[in-house]
Amino acid sequence: MEFEPGHVVGGRYRLVRPLATGGMGAIWVARHVELDIEVAIKFVLAEQAGDARALKRFRREARTAAGLSSEHVVRVLDFGVDDEKPYLAMELLEGEDLLEHLETHGRLSPERVAILLRQLSRGLEVAHDAGIVHRDLKPSNLFLARTGKSGADEVLKILDFGVARSQALQREADATDSVGVLLGSPPYMSPEQARAGSVDHRTDLWAVGAISFEMLTGHRLFAGGNLADTVAKICSDPIPRVSDHAAELGSCFDEFFRRALERDPGLRFQSASELCAAFEAAAGLPSASATKAPAPRGRDSETLSVRVEGSTFDPVQGGSQAVQSRSAPRLGWLVAGVTLAALGATLAVRQLTRVELQAEAPAAAPVPMPSMASHPAAATPPHQAPAGPPASAAASSATVEAARAAPRAKSGPAPRSAATAGSAAPATSAQPKVDPIFGLPTGSP
């Protein structure tokens, strides 16, 4: 290695110790001279430094990873060139990659696999939503970082976007990658990738299926003796059955992997979250994955339901034309029925009110004739009667007093009095006539 501990890279990062060596470069632990924090520095290997394609991929990795914001994607902090050697500064992770974890622990339980798939799907959704295809997913590029107090928490991080392809960099990628060159790791390549064909985000989903198969069974999906043998198996061999390696897992996982590893991309799962939710269902676990909601269907999925006075009519479902054709007649009859019911109720209330008023109204009582004892002038003999108002005025006063004393009906015209001012009731019998004012006999009949 050309670099040694203590060497300052780019005037900012002092190298501490080598950490790992990969296919394209080496990774060192370094400390920022100003911020006093540790970071990981990735260099292009000397034999790759003069390769224009390798340098473009390295720069692409920096730009791609730096544009993704997810706790499940390694964070890129800086990019530069030191002594004609490009370098990449990333967050320093403590833990182990998935390959080391499988070599240490062997195959994992369905519950454990589901936890890792949830985190992997979240990171991939962010990349795929940005139009980025990783194209090199494999256990060694999935890091299980220990976080929290004493490293009690575990977060899966996606590493190495060196061969990732984005729509924004499509022209650059096409110029960089020669036709017929295989990019990626053969055991985890999709059939279209193994044929050096066009790829999209579903290539990553095939790789996730192959990684899940390995986590669950402890065996690689296709293990060939050489590149040509591996590619042939990926493109034509029957998909291995999980139950052949672990009978206790049952046939539910066979169905899951049948779809996850479909050679036709259109028949695979179409998103990482959909794949993860299907795995949880196969494992009999409650789904903790938020699958993408389907596009709105408009009135196709609407339900028409009418509720009147506690009764619910049968819902009408289907397309917009079916809803209109089947709901219009029902609504027309409904409106007509409700209108007739309202009119009938109004007429019944009015009739009932009229009957109640007639029942409550008392019969008209005749106005009682004033007696001699009830009028102060009656106590005085006729020959001693004091001067008073004219007879017409007295009659009017007596009529008013009688009207006040008579009970009033609640409704209807006021009853007519038996005696009115200026008129006398005709004789109806042989009884002597009586003065209508004082009640005294006035002469013979």
Side-chain angles (χ1 to χ4, degrees):
M1 176 59 62
E2 300 180 15
F3 297 116
E4 296 180 353
H7 177 78
V8 178
V9 178
R12 291 185 294 273
Y13 308 101
R14 180 174 285 108
L15 299 181
V16 177
R17 66 182 187 276
L19 185 62
T21 301
M24 290 182 58
I27 301 177
W28 278 67
V29 176
R31 183 173 292 275
H32 197 290
V33 295
E34 296 293 339
L35 302 179
D36 196 29
I37 59 173
E38 287 190 336
V39 298
I41 302 293
K42 182 176 180 179
F43 297 97
V44 174
L45 292 178
E47 55 270 25
Q48 299 283 346
D51 189 341
R53 291 181 301 176
L55 292 178
K56 286 185 177 181
R57 293 191 190 110
F58 191 73
R59 183 178 290 107
R60 186 192 310 163
E61 176 181 6
R63 294 166 62 182
T64 300
L68 300 178
S69 178
S70 171
E71 65 171 334
H72 301 295
V73 175
V74 64
R75 271 189 306 123
V76 172
L77 308 174
D78 197 5
F79 176 80
V81 179
D82 183 82
D83 193 19
E84 298 184 354
K85 293 187 174 54
Y87 68 88
L88 190 65
M90 304 177 294
E91 63 175 324
L92 181 63
L93 304 175
E94 297 292 337
E96 61 182 355
D97 61 43
L98 181 59
L99 179 61
E100 296 171 333
H101 187 77
L102 292 176
E103 291 174 348
T104 302
H105 299 86
R107 68 188 186 96
L108 309 179
S109 67
E111 293 78 12
R112 173 78 167 139
V113 174
I115 292 174
L116 298 179
L117 280 183
R118 289 168 193 162
Q119 300 186 51
L120 175 56
S121 67
R122 291 171 191 153
L124 279 182
E125 290 282 332
V126 172
H128 293 167
D129 287 345
I132 296 171
V133 184
H134 191 284
R135 298 200 299 174
D136 195 21
L137 289 177
K138 55 186 176 181
S140 60
N141 279 342
L142 303 178
F143 197 88
L144 307 181
R146 292 191 295 268
T147 62
K149 294 182 179 180
S150 304
D153 299 329
E154 180 184 77
V155 178
L156 183 144
K157 301 269 188 176
I158 303 174
L159 309 178
D160 199 355
F161 283 82
V163 296
R165 172 174 290 184
S166 69
Q167 295 176 351
L169 302 175
Q170 187 68 43
R171 292 183 179 178
E172 177 184 340
D174 291 342
T176 300
D177 303 332
S178 301
V179 176
V181 175
L182 294 182
L183 295 176
S185 300
Y188 307 95
M189 286 182 177
S190 65
E192 62 271 22
Q193 189 177 10
R195 299 188 186 100
S198 177
V199 302
D200 59 19
H201 69 284
R202 293 169 294 186
T203 283
D204 287 345
L205 300 184
W206 169 286
V208 173
I211 295 170
S212 302
F213 185 93
E214 188 169 339
M215 288 192 291
L216 205 58
T217 66
H219 298 274
R220 280 187 176 177
L221 180 64
F222 292 113
N226 52 51
L227 175 60
D229 196 19
T230 301
V231 169
K233 289 182 178 181
I234 291 173
C235 295
S236 60
D237 275 15
I239 302 298
R241 294 168 58 89
V242 172
S243 55
D244 292 340
H245 296 280
E248 71 277 6
L249 294 177
S251 60
C252 292
F253 286 107
D254 290 333
E255 178 61 24
F256 165 79
F257 285 106
R258 185 198 62 76
R259 185 175 178 192
L261 300 171
E262 278 281 0
R263 290 188 167 90
D264 182 353
L267 300 179
R268 289 178 210 155
F269 296 110
Q270 299 300 296
S271 70
S273 58
E274 182 187 8
L275 182 149
C276 185
F279 183 90
E280 292 167 339
L285 302 173
S287 179
S289 303
T291 57
K292 288 186 177 179
R297 298 178 57 192
R299 290 185 59 87
D300 288 347
S301 59
E302 290 184 0
T303 298
L304 179 63
S305 180
V306 183
R307 185 177 183 84
V308 178
E309 295 295 327
S311 299
T312 304
F313 291 81
D314 293 334
V316 180
Q317 297 180 339
S320 58
Q321 295 180 353
V323 170
Q324 293 175 0
S325 62
R326 285 184 288 176
S327 62
R330 294 190 182 184
L331 288 177
W333 285 110
L334 174 63
V335 172
V338 171
T339 303
L340 292 176
L343 291 175
T346 302
L347 295 175
V349 170
R350 290 182 177 178
Q351 184 65 22
L352 180 61
T353 303
R354 181 177 300 173
V355 172
E356 289 179 350
L357 291 177
Q358 292 177 355
E360 292 179 0
V367 177
M369 297 299 295
S371 64
M372 295 178 61
S374 62
H375 199 281
T380 305
H383 61 279
Q384 296 181 356
S392 60
S396 299
S397 176
T399 303
V400 171
E401 290 295 330
R404 289 179 180 177
R408 294 183 178 180
K410 290 185 179 180
S411 61
R416 297 186 61 183
S417 175
T420 57
S423 64
T428 57
S429 64
Q431 297 295 331
K433 292 184 178 180
V434 179
D435 182 9
I437 303 303
F438 298 103
L440 299 177
T442 56
S444 58

